[in-house]
Amino acid sequence: MASQTTLPVPLVELVEQLSRLPGLGPKSALKVAMTLLEWPRARADSLGDGILRLRERLCLCRHCAGLSETPVCPVCADPSRNHDQLCLVAQWDSIMQIEETGLFAGRYLVLGGLLDPLEGISAGQLRLDVLRARLAEGEITECILALGATLAAESTASHIKNLLGREYPAVRLTRLAQGIPLGAEVKYVDKETLSQSLRYRQDL
């Protein structure tokens, strides 16, 4: 790839921004930028508008913290969902994967990440206060951990287990069965494996 110092400044700036996206290094970012330059102006404008609309029209559900077009997402607004089961996930995209199985009829809470001291993510940065508030309502009888099988997920599961043991010992704590490969994240697990993990979840 040619040195970026030989590229026009606007192109260099775009490449720098694109290379911050997951899976895009400098070379891939330059390729994407060059592709965008080849697009008709209307198509490029449409992409730009789509990115702006994404930020303007989406918000976090005030109940589960999942992405939604409305203050309360369709799952939380559905009166047929079970109120006694709460599935904890690290990020909102795991909800989509679980919903595709059609096996879970409870509600969700997005923690906003996993405990990871090396990445500077502490318990105070997760939505554990929201979890406490949901549990304090007294409706939830089971918390299901759908966090994956990474070291960060194990650390988070241990922290939540201790939290429930101290403050809500009557709430059953389960986790997805260990059909998920070690090192995998829920959002990348195939549908069948995820279905088995949900169906045969175990007490923690």
Side-chain angles (χ1 to χ4, degrees), residues 176-198:
L176 297 187
Q178 296 301 306
I180 298 177
L182 184 64
E185 294 184 23
V186 170
K187 59 187 175 183
Y188 298 130
V189 175
D190 66 273
K191 181 178 177 180
E192 185 55 34
T193 299
L194 193 55
S195 297
Q196 294 296 318
S197 298
L198 270 171

Side-chain angles (χ1 to χ4, degrees), residues 49-186:
D49 290 342
I51 294 172
L52 291 175
R53 287 195 301 271
L54 183 69
R55 297 300 302 266
E56 292 171 353
R57 294 173 57 183
L58 293 182
C59 61
L60 295 183
C61 172
R62 65 187 183 203
H63 292 309
C64 71
L67 275 184
S68 176
E69 292 184 70
T70 55
V72 178
C73 74
V75 171
C76 291
D78 185 351
S80 69
R81 306 285 299 208
N82 296 335
H83 288 260
D84 57 352
Q85 289 183 316
L86 184 66
C87 183
L88 306 182
V89 298
Q91 300 293 351
W92 69 271
D93 45 4
S94 295
I95 294 177
M96 296 189 301
Q97 289 287 93
I98 294 173
E99 284 296 291
E100 284 187 5
T101 69
L103 294 173
F104 182 65
R107 297 175 183 272
Y108 297 94
L109 176 62
V110 180
L111 294 175
L114 297 171
L115 292 179
D116 193 340
L118 295 179
E119 295 294 328
I121 303 176
S122 64
Q125 294 172 269
L126 305 184
R127 295 188 178 93
L128 297 180
D129 287 343
V130 179
L131 173 60
R132 286 188 176 95
R134 297 282 292 272
L135 294 173
E137 294 172 357
E139 292 185 319
I140 297 167
T141 60
E142 179 186 9
C143 274
I144 303 168
L145 302 182
L147 306 177
T150 64
L151 290 176
E154 292 298 315
S155 177
T156 307
S158 177
H159 186 87
I160 292 174
K161 180 182 179 181
N162 293 335
L163 186 157
L164 265 65
R166 290 192 313 268
E167 302 179 28
Y168 302 95
V171 176
R172 181 188 181 201
L173 183 63
T174 61
R175 66 186 304 168
L176 297 187
Q178 296 301 306
I180 298 177
L182 184 64
E185 294 184 23
V186 170

